[in-house]
Amino acid sequence: MAKASSMGSRRGWLPVALLLLAASLLSPQTAAAAGDAASGEAEHAVQQHSERISGSAGDVLEDNPVGRLKVFIYDLPRKYNKKMVNKDPRCLNHMFAAEIFMHRFLLSSAVRTLNPKEADWFYTPVYTTCDLTPAGLPLPFKSPRVMRSAIQYISNKRPFWNRTDGADHFFVVPHDFAACFHYQEEKAIERGILPLLRRATLVQTFGQENHVCLKEGSIIIPPYAPPQKMQAHLISPDTPRSIFVYFRGLFYDTGNDPEGGYYARGARASLWENFKSNPLFDISTDHPATYYEDMQRAVFCLCPLGWAPWSPRLVEAVVFGCIPVIIADDIVLPFADAIPWEEIGVFVEEKDVPKLDTILTSMPIDDILRKQRLLANPSMKQAMLFPQPAQPRDAFHQILNGLARKLPHPEGTYLQPGDTRLNWTAGPVGDLKPW
């Protein structure tokens, strides 16, 4: 497996000023705050070692959606959701699992209403990513047919879809390219968003500006990362951050991109070619058992695009207080109306990857320390997680906050009797086959 130079050489990675930085970047209280968020005890974080941004990470993330909206959940046949999980429980653990846990959360949420006439939003619990390969990767090819079938079901059984063509409905679509339903960008763009979803609100992990797979008004969410697993790997809060830059993952995908250059738009290949021998960079394709522990020992964690711009590394970095270095041009990040990403992360354009060492080593120490204080905000960490059971200010509640902020519905939401805005026969021929 590809691996950069040994860990031992990294212990003396910088001149005196930055060695002092490495010793001081993580106070015991800051690490404790990371553990608090992962374990659900964020209320006990030491406030003087974290920082809030008024009106953003401090205030908006702490909004309580209860009382601000009501959600009606369609009762679909089990083949659209629960039977899929029973057939393959691996769906509960992959990074697309938010669609499953959002359904479970809403079933017992205080915002749920059993009276559709008083609902602000309608939710259709369909699990479009729970069709896995033997290796555990979601197959998107049946997803459009599954989604179309679910929409046909609710439109035939209930009047609520037809009165708006879905404009007061929301769907969780955590595929690589959301409702474009393909893992390769070129083919996702060719497909476009499933036509029947073009008036609905999409809750999705994919976000990129000016992209056909991101429609206006979508709510961008973090991918699923298992909170209990992260909690189990917490290390002592006294552990210094002795790794400067950390990354584990692919640099090339020879199976799907044998000629190279297409995967990650070449950004990951550039990381490897430029920094595989740099002692500041602990980068490798290996995924060690100490992965979570290593992130807690790192100052910067690289979050480059892969096939899609997003990955669970962003969640892991925030929870573990490792400054995320985001390498994905035009990315739209989770809950960007509430989380001050520019303040807590570092953004590097894909073309500037060869200069990454200079960019990071030239950052003023005060800027790095402030980013870490902001990352220590328990609300920041909690907003990135889908814990079971749900907790105040978690990702479930941030989704509801996003839906509440879209109310009241705009003029034009409700159609005149007999009017329709959707073309039920649009889309690739394969998508129109029954499921």
Side-chain angles (χ1 to χ4, degrees):
M1 303 294 283
K3 181 153 177 41
S5 56
S6 69
M7 176 69 73
S9 67
R10 292 187 186 85
R11 299 305 180 188
W13 42 259
L14 287 175
V16 175
L18 288 180
L19 283 172
L20 293 174
L21 167 63
S24 66
L25 279 176
L26 185 63
S27 70
Q29 293 88 348
T30 302
D36 288 343
S39 65
E41 299 173 0
E43 295 297 332
H44 302 296
V46 181
Q47 295 302 315
Q48 63 265 36
H49 292 276
S50 66
E51 186 172 333
R52 291 171 49 141
I53 297 178
S54 180
S56 183
D59 299 331
V60 180
L61 285 175
E62 295 179 10
D63 284 352
N64 186 352
V66 176
R68 299 169 57 207
L69 77 166
K70 292 183 182 295
V71 176
F72 179 80
I73 305 172
Y74 286 110
D75 185 16
L76 295 185
R78 292 168 58 88
K79 70 174 185 175
Y80 292 104
N81 41 62
K82 295 178 182 178
K83 276 191 175 180
M84 292 183 175
V85 177
N86 291 340
K87 179 182 176 182
D88 197 336
R90 293 179 301 170
C91 298
L92 293 166
N93 298 310
H94 64 42
M95 61 184 174
F96 307 94
E99 64 182 359
I100 299 171
F101 291 112
M102 188 67 188
H103 181 201
R104 294 183 177 184
F105 162 72
L106 285 172
L107 287 172
S108 59
S109 171
V111 306
R112 183 185 182 186
T113 178
L114 300 178
N115 180 4
K117 293 182 180 179
E118 67 177 19
D120 300 296
W121 289 100
F122 293 81
Y123 168 64
T124 307
V126 53
Y127 302 167
T128 57
T129 67
C130 197
D131 181 20
L132 305 182
T133 67
L137 301 175
L139 287 168
F141 310 114
K142 294 180 184 176
S143 300
R145 292 164 54 203
V146 175
M147 183 66 79
R148 281 181 55 89
S149 176
I151 294 173
Q152 287 173 331
Y153 180 87
I154 62 173
S155 67
N156 289 334
K157 296 289 185 180
R158 295 279 196 160
F160 309 109
W161 173 274
N162 298 320
R163 71 183 185 181
T164 66
D165 268 358
D168 55 355
H169 289 55
F170 71 93
F171 294 81
V172 181
V173 281
H175 275 278
D176 292 277
F177 290 93
C180 289
F181 295 126
H182 208 286
Y183 64 91
Q184 291 184 337
E185 184 174 20
E186 186 177 78
K187 293 181 180 178
I189 291 173
E190 182 181 324
R191 289 187 52 85
I193 292 173
L194 186 73
L196 292 184
L197 293 176
R198 288 180 180 167
R199 279 176 60 85
T201 289
L202 303 181
V203 178
Q204 59 186 66
T205 44
F206 171 75
Q208 183 172 314
E209 294 176 3
N210 303 314
H211 199 285
V212 299
C213 299
L214 177 62
K215 67 188 290 289
E216 184 178 357
S218 296
I219 296 174
I220 308 303
I221 64 172
Y224 178 78
Q228 292 84 355
K229 183 179 179 181
M230 287 190 283
Q231 180 185 352
H233 287 267
L234 292 173
I235 61 177
S236 168
D238 297 322
T239 305
R241 291 191 180 262
S242 53
I243 302 171
F244 191 57
V245 179
Y246 187 75
F247 175 77
R248 289 293 184 272
L250 291 177
F251 299 97
Y252 303 91
D253 187 346
T254 54
N256 294 297
D257 182 27
E259 296 181 5
Y262 185 70
Y263 176 63
R265 297 197 284 258
R268 292 199 187 196
S270 181
L271 278 171
W272 179 250
E273 297 303 328
N274 283 281
F275 303 113
K276 60 187 175 184
S277 300
N278 189 319
L280 303 183
F281 285 67
D282 186 354
I283 60 176
S284 171
T285 57
D286 294 334
H287 202 289
T290 58
Y291 173 71
Y292 283 151
E293 289 84 351
D294 292 343
M295 294 190 83
Q296 294 169 78
R297 296 185 181 102
V299 178
F300 296 103
C301 289
L302 302 183
C303 302
L305 74 162
W307 284 111
W310 59 272
S311 82
R313 291 180 190 84
L314 187 68
V315 177
E316 296 158 351
V318 171
V319 169
F320 291 132
C322 185
I323 298 171
V325 179
I326 298 159
I327 307 170
D329 293 354
D330 301 319
I331 189 171
V332 180
L333 290 162
F335 308 130
D337 56 346
I339 294 179
W341 290 106
E342 294 284 349
E343 302 278 353
I344 65 174
V346 177
F347 289 79
V348 176
E349 293 186 14
E350 294 162 26
K351 67 179 178 60
D352 291 333
V353 166
K355 299 184 287 186
L356 187 57
D357 55 347
T358 301
I359 292 170
L360 297 180
T361 57
S362 63
M363 284 188 63
I365 292 178
D366 286 347
D367 289 355
I368 295 175
L369 291 172
R370 182 167 188 267
K371 290 180 186 297
Q372 291 205 326
R373 289 196 302 270
L374 291 170
L375 283 168
N377 180 344
S379 293
M380 195 91 65
K381 302 171 186 298
Q382 197 67 7
M384 302 297 285
L385 298 172
F386 294 92
Q388 298 86 52
Q391 299 167 10
R393 304 185 300 276
D394 61 17
F396 300 119
H397 289 85
Q398 301 312 321
I399 293 170
L400 294 182
N401 282 335
L403 292 168
R405 287 195 287 271
K406 294 169 71 68
L407 297 174
H409 291 296
E411 185 178 351
T413 296
Y414 298 96
L415 306 177
Q416 295 297 319
D419 190 13
T420 184
R421 304 287 175 85
L422 299 177
N423 182 352
W424 285 77
T425 61
V429 174
D431 291 359
L432 306 182
K433 295 179 181 178
W435 179 74

